[in-house]
Amino acid sequence: MACLQASPNYQFRYGSDQSLLIDFGTTTGKVAQVAQWLGKQRISGVVNLHPAYSSILIVFDPCITSHSALESLLQVIGEVAVTAPRLVTIPVHYDGPDLPDVAQWHAVSEQQIIDWHAAPTYEVSFLGFVPGFAYLTGLPLQLSTPRLEIPRKSVPGGSVGIAGNQTGVYPFATPGGWRLLGRTPMTMFSPDRDPMSLLEPGDLVRFLPL
Amino acid sequence: MTIQVLSPGMFTTVQDLGRPGYGLVGVSRSGAADAIALRLGNRLVGNPENAAALEMTLLGGTYKFPDGATVAITGAECGLPMWQSLGVNAGDTLKIGGMQVGARCYLCISGGIDVPLFAGSASTHVLSGLGGFEGRALRKGDLLKVGRGGTFLNRSVRPEVLSRFDPRKTLRVTAGPQAELFTADALDNFYAKAYRVSDDANRMGLRLTGARIEAPFGGQMITEGVSLGAIQIPTSGDPIILFVDQQTTGGYPKIANVITVDLPSIGQLRPRDEVRFELVDAALAQVLVREQEAFLMSGEILS
């Protein structure tokens, strides 16, 4: 257990008449852990949480609570105790269709791209885009690559991609503009599983080349 | 009991009141685009308000009832008797045509549409292919299961209730989380001008055309959680209203957010409709939700 240090600098903003945004100002891994903690609190009237890099949107039922009631309840988030994050290993076949282009763009070998991508321990900042799509931070700076100019109409589920300084795994076939380095046989999201999503905010992730 | 889809209309999906509560794992809320029409339709056929029904878009479709049913059609005007319970005889076919005014109508069936629930809801989310009937819009030949319905009761929605919920073309909004970063000119334009709904309008969002708004940060900012009904201003300056199948996060500045009681009106906007925005206080917007919910509980709804 550790005590949150980064959060006293948050401020509240209105999202809508039924949502409140907690803005932490800076990107901090603690956001994901505060979001997880909030999810377990069962605060009366809170119906949804949308965490992102440096903020959490709290959606509430305006018949049950209000912005000001939540703001006073949430004064405690400065002292949220967080548990050690889980480490999830994701095996990857590094044979993606964009691997040659990415290697060429960086003027290195394909193996170098794989080594760079599989080296770090990433952190799940938040999930979005589609169910189970985790935005992972920690991509090595030298692997930062612009997204495709023309997104693909359909990216196969399980595809491991990079875009800018982010990396992630497409849970299902969807349109997408990230550059695909490989694919994992893991099921990232299943409505029939509990928990449905393999990854949750705050998890640590390592990619294991197959 | 079953329903046969003889023709699915333009875009027909199974929807209930959606699945809030899974934003942590990136799941959209989804649910009926016009939640009031769904809730009233379900009441007419004796269902819980949250029962799953068919949401049809612009063109209804043709549905056969081999076993008969009690149904109600609500939402956009579609040429059939609406806002009342209707008895459909075994073997009869219901043909729902084009909508003249409004964009979506609901076919509520006593017993509700029976599909496997995803995260507690029958709503279809087409982008991920999850929920509803096989995670997709209906096709010709689909066979839908229906739950056990109650006996037919002759019910209709009172006319004064309908006029209260008439879809609005001036949407009331609260200031968005980045509103203070827009220039005074941009804000003046946004509230003074009429916008037109483009063809790029669906359950995920509606792109509007009209006076372009200059976005702060050139229309880019760090991704944050976005609310239902948020009005984003991207680099192009054309506003986008985020709607029921929205992604849970977004990276464009938000100038305003449609208030809760006006969200169903978004579901009735058609391409080329004109829409305006009126700024109201969040406290007033919350009073309006509470009044609406008290009114819906009042017992003055059906006759």
Side-chain angles (χ1 to χ4, degrees):
Chain A
M1 301 284 271
C3 218
L4 264 189
Q5 297 302 317
S7 56
N9 296 319
Y10 60 86
Q11 55 164 338
F12 293 113
R13 283 185 285 142
Y14 284 21
S16 68
D17 61 353
Q18 53 173 329
S19 64
L20 176 70
L21 194 68
I22 318 176
D23 189 346
F24 295 87
T26 55
T27 305
T28 157
K30 301 293 195 298
V31 174
Q33 304 203 358
V34 173
Q36 282 284 26
W37 177 82
L38 279 171
K40 294 190 179 95
Q41 297 309 301
R42 309 233 167 266
I43 300 168
S44 172
V46 169
V47 295
N48 217 344
L49 298 167
H50 298 197
Y53 292 113
S54 60
S55 61
I56 303 170
L57 184 81
I58 302 180
V59 183
F60 61 86
D61 180 346
C63 293
I64 298 176
T65 188
S66 65
H67 294 97
S68 55
L70 285 173
E71 284 180 30
S72 31
L73 270 174
L74 294 171
Q75 293 304 327
V76 298
I77 59 175
E79 295 113 50
V80 169
V82 293
T83 46
R86 290 191 307 162
L87 175 68
V88 181
T89 301
I90 298 179
V92 179
H93 294 283
Y94 280 99
D95 57 1
D98 299 323
L99 185 59
D101 284 352
V102 172
Q104 199 174 20
W105 201 83
H106 291 283
V108 296
S109 68
E110 293 182 17
Q111 189 57 49
Q112 180 64 72
I113 298 295
I114 296 167
D115 291 347
W116 278 341
H117 189 260
T121 300
Y122 297 94
E123 181 169 19
V124 178
S125 292
F126 62 96
L127 289 90
F129 172 49
V130 287
F133 186 96
Y135 288 83
L136 302 174
T137 49
L139 192 74
L141 272 178
Q142 62 268 36
L143 193 46
S144 179
T145 314
R147 64 187 64 214
L148 293 172
E149 277 173 30
I150 303 164
R152 289 185 171 89
K153 288 218 158 48
S154 182
V155 172
S159 295
V160 178
I162 57 171
N165 56 3
Q166 303 174 107
T167 184
V169 185
Y170 287 87
F172 332 93
T174 55
W178 291 25
R179 294 185 193 262
L180 308 181
L181 302 185
R183 65 199 156 83
T184 177
M186 302 280 276
T187 300
M188 303 304 292
F189 189 93
S190 167
D192 307 320
R193 191 172 65 187
D194 185 23
M196 296 185 289
S197 181
L198 179 68
L199 299 177
E200 293 184 355
D203 285 348
L204 301 178
V205 174
R206 296 208 54 140
F207 292 110
L208 178 71
L210 289 172
Chain B
M1 286 232 320
T2 55
I3 303 174
Q4 287 172 353
V5 180
L6 301 186
S7 119
M10 190 173 288
F11 182 82
T12 300
T13 55
V14 175
Q15 297 295 339
D16 58 16
L17 292 177
R19 54 178 70 82
Y22 297 88
L24 274 180
V25 287
V27 176
S28 300
R29 182 183 173 282
S30 299
D34 180 347
I36 293 290
L38 177 77
R39 291 169 70 183
L40 294 177
N42 273 326
R43 284 194 189 193
L44 288 167
V45 297
N47 286 345
E49 286 191 336
N50 188 34
L54 297 186
E55 176 181 285
M56 299 164 278
T57 314
L58 299 172
L59 178 67
T62 311
Y63 306 91
K64 186 170 180 170
F65 294 79
D67 317 294
T70 299
V71 305
I73 304 165
T74 60
E77 202 58 55
C78 67
L80 289 176
M82 298 189 59
W83 304 101
Q84 57 180 271
S85 54
L86 303 168
V88 179
N89 294 323
D92 275 4
T93 293
L94 201 57
K95 185 171 185 200
I96 303 170
M99 292 156 218
Q100 307 308 315
V101 179
R104 290 182 178 88
C105 76
Y106 292 85
L107 176 59
C108 297
I109 299 137
S110 187
I113 307 279
D114 182 10
V115 291
L117 300 185
F118 155 43
S121 163
S123 288
T124 317
H125 185 241
V126 170
L127 176 67
S128 61
L130 293 171
F133 185 82
E134 297 182 359
R136 58 168 171 82
L138 298 185
R139 294 177 195 148
K140 184 179 175 175
D142 284 344
L143 203 61
L144 304 171
K145 281 205 291 185
V146 178
R148 181 191 289 270
T151 49
F152 178 82
L153 286 171
N154 200 356
R155 290 180 171 127
S156 59
V157 180
R158 289 175 191 261
E160 60 271 26
V161 176
L162 287 183
S163 56
R164 178 181 176 132
F165 289 115
D166 218 18
R168 298 171 60 97
K169 287 292 174 356
T170 296
L171 299 174
R172 291 165 292 184
V173 299
T174 51
Q178 284 78 40
E180 74 281 7
L181 303 174
F182 286 82
T183 64
D185 269 2
L187 289 165
D188 285 349
N189 253 331
F190 179 74
Y191 288 111
K193 302 283 171 59
Y195 285 86
R196 206 166 278 282
V197 179
S198 75
D199 289 329
D200 188 6
N202 54 41
R203 288 176 46 85
M204 286 186 69
L206 298 83
R207 190 178 291 271
L208 309 178
T209 57
R212 292 216 159 127
I213 305 292
E214 191 193 333
F217 324 115
Q220 304 255 352
M221 49 169 272
I222 187 162
T223 294
E224 69 180 18
V226 286
S227 311
L228 178 58
I231 304 175
Q232 299 187 140
I233 307 295
T235 318
S236 73
D238 289 330
I240 299 169
I241 308 179
L242 298 179
F243 205 33
V244 284
D245 280 352
Q246 63 165 75
Q247 298 176 16
T248 50
T249 59
Y252 296 125
K254 294 161 288 292
I255 193 170
N257 204 109
V258 178
I259 69 172
T260 304
V261 295
D262 286 359
L263 294 170
S265 299
I266 301 174
Q268 295 301 351
L269 289 173
R270 305 164 63 94
R272 287 179 286 285
D273 273 355
E274 205 174 78
V275 63
R276 289 175 179 274
F277 300 104
E278 178 190 339
L279 185 65
V280 298
D281 186 66
L284 169 69
Q286 290 166 349
V287 169
L288 293 173
V289 188
R290 290 177 205 129
E291 280 178 2
Q292 170 183 288
E293 292 308 308
F295 177 67
L296 284 168
M297 295 287 279
S298 68
E300 303 289 313
I301 307 301
L302 304 185
S303 56

